[in-house]
Amino acid sequence: MAWVLVLLAGVLEIVWAFTMKRSDGFSRPVLTAVTVVAMLASVGLLSMSMKSLPLGTAYTVWTGIGAVGAFVVGVVVLGEPLTLARGLAAILIVSGLLLMKFASPA
């Protein structure tokens, strides 16, 4: 169950990163509210996952999901450039996340 919680927390991190970008510096109230709620929910789920996952594992997986997810949303939704170096960096992050998951005692 802890892995499901950290996965959901990571997805919410992607949501808040995207809505924060769309909020135009917190000048759009609805998107600002979505950002804040998603942030709080993300951190709350991360906290719950840490009841059984090691700190380093949970935090690394959470930030990695958010980083790679935000990168993908940036490329697919916002039209940001996908270069070979950026794509390779995302692959390396995902590889590290998988290694962290499989090396975790929980």
Side-chain angles (χ1 to χ4, degrees):
M1 185 62 173
W3 285 107
V4 172
L5 293 175
V6 80
L7 176 66
L8 290 173
V11 169
L12 285 170
E13 189 176 1
I14 298 164
V15 170
W16 72 251
F18 176 69
T19 57
M20 185 167 55
K21 171 74 172 171
R22 291 294 185 153
S23 76
D24 293 325
F26 298 128
S27 65
R28 299 173 70 187
V30 172
L31 290 172
T32 298
V34 172
T35 300
V36 171
V37 169
M39 282 178 170
L40 292 172
S42 179
V43 171
L45 290 171
L46 174 64
S47 174
M48 292 169 57
S49 76
M50 286 182 177
K51 289 180 181 180
S52 59
L53 292 177
L55 166 69
T57 299
Y59 187 76
T60 301
V61 170
W62 176 66
T63 58
I65 291 169
V68 172
F71 166 71
V72 170
V73 168
V75 169
V76 173
V77 178
L78 302 175
E80 295 174 357
L82 173 60
T83 64
L84 179 60
R86 293 180 82 211
L88 180 58
I91 290 168
L92 289 171
I93 293 169
V94 171
S95 299
L97 294 177
L98 291 172
L99 182 60
M100 185 68 76
K101 195 256 185 255
F102 293 121
S104 175

